[in-house]
Amino acid sequence: MQPLSEDLAQNRPGDAVRRKIRELQPNPVLRLVDWYRPRSEIFHWASGLRGEQITAKRLKRLRGHGWLTLHAVQWVTGTDIDHLAIGPAGVFSINSKRHPGKTVWYGDRAVTVNRAPTRHIAASQSEARRVARVLTTHCGFAVSVRPVISVVHAAKLTVKSADPPVLVVEVNHLDRVLSGLSPVLSTDQVSHIYEVARDARTWSG
């Protein structure tokens, strides 16, 4: 699948979701109808799009503090990384998960939504490992990537693990949590990783 842009810095938050929605319903009138029809597939994707937009808006607060972000970083398979945040505290692959009005619970190894199990943790860890391999290969030095889940519009988020392998954060606290972590990258390293990550060719293998 062709990338949304050769320079991924041009991508808007949720661009990959927008393309998916257009593929599902090419007719703009019918697409608009389905956008507001709760049982439609497009309604589900539109909810996810809103979550990505809200997370991206929060990440913008990190600008000016040594952080750089990318959105809708697309793999050749067509799947995408919702957000990449690169800053003094490291590199973070961020998944937006919008669960309006629901109760989200995170134990040592799993996230449940209204007590129903999800694959959020396993998927986030797998994505972070994949991103780390790609960036390490193209940057020429080891790049660690920490997975993050940005929880949007949940009624309640409970995190029980004291040292979670995946950061699960309510979106309104996302910028504060990331900026509060200890620095591990220099300014030059942040810039280099960002330049590599913004090139669509990095993710085409």
Side-chain angles (χ1 to χ4, degrees):
M1 180 174 286
Q2 290 296 314
L4 296 160
S5 171
E6 292 300 325
D7 178 6
L8 302 185
Q10 302 300 314
N11 288 358
R12 296 174 299 168
D15 265 350
V17 179
R18 289 185 184 88
R19 180 154 76 177
K20 176 65 176 180
I21 290 172
R22 288 194 299 269
E23 290 172 354
L24 287 170
Q25 180 49 267
N27 185 303
V29 175
L30 295 179
R31 187 163 63 236
L32 182 61
V33 171
D34 280 348
W35 195 283
Y36 296 100
R37 191 161 58 87
R39 293 187 179 181
S40 73
E41 189 173 0
I42 286 177
F43 181 88
H44 167 77
W45 283 98
S47 177
L49 171 60
R50 181 62 178 147
E52 291 189 32
Q53 291 171 327
I54 291 169
T55 295
K57 185 175 181 180
R58 202 72 193 187
L59 289 172
K60 282 182 68 175
R61 296 186 176 212
L62 293 171
R63 290 183 182 177
H65 299 281
W67 288 80
L68 299 166
T69 56
L70 295 168
H71 309 285
V73 176
Q74 197 150 12
W75 300 99
V76 69
T77 56
T79 60
D80 78 302
I81 306 157
D82 292 350
H83 320 274
L84 273 181
I86 305 164
V91 181
F92 300 83
S93 62
I94 303 170
N95 275 282
S96 295
K97 296 298 181 185
R98 185 168 182 257
H99 295 297
K102 297 182 179 179
T103 298
V104 178
W105 185 90
Y106 178 29
D108 289 332
R109 298 182 180 275
V111 165
T112 62
V113 178
N114 281 359
R115 298 188 177 182
T118 72
R119 293 195 68 257
H120 291 353
I121 298 302
S124 293
Q125 288 179 306
S126 177
E127 178 179 89
R129 287 192 295 267
R130 189 179 181 189
V131 172
R133 286 195 300 269
V134 169
L135 291 179
T136 294
T137 297
H138 289 273
C139 287
F141 56 85
V143 178
S144 297
V145 178
R146 188 165 186 184
V148 179
I149 295 173
S150 170
V151 179
V152 181
H153 290 164
K156 182 179 181 181
L157 169 63
T158 301
V159 178
K160 287 294 187 180
S161 178
D163 186 24
V166 177
L167 284 175
V168 179
V169 183
E170 204 279 323
V171 67
N172 289 337
H173 304 308
L174 182 60
D175 55 313
R176 178 179 58 81
V177 169
L178 294 185
S179 63
L181 297 172
S182 299
V184 296
L185 296 177
S186 68
T187 301
D188 287 346
Q189 286 175 315
V190 169
S191 296
H192 181 63
I193 294 170
Y194 177 74
E195 290 303 319
V196 169
R198 72 187 292 182
D199 187 339
R201 293 171 297 181
T202 297
W203 312 97
S204 63

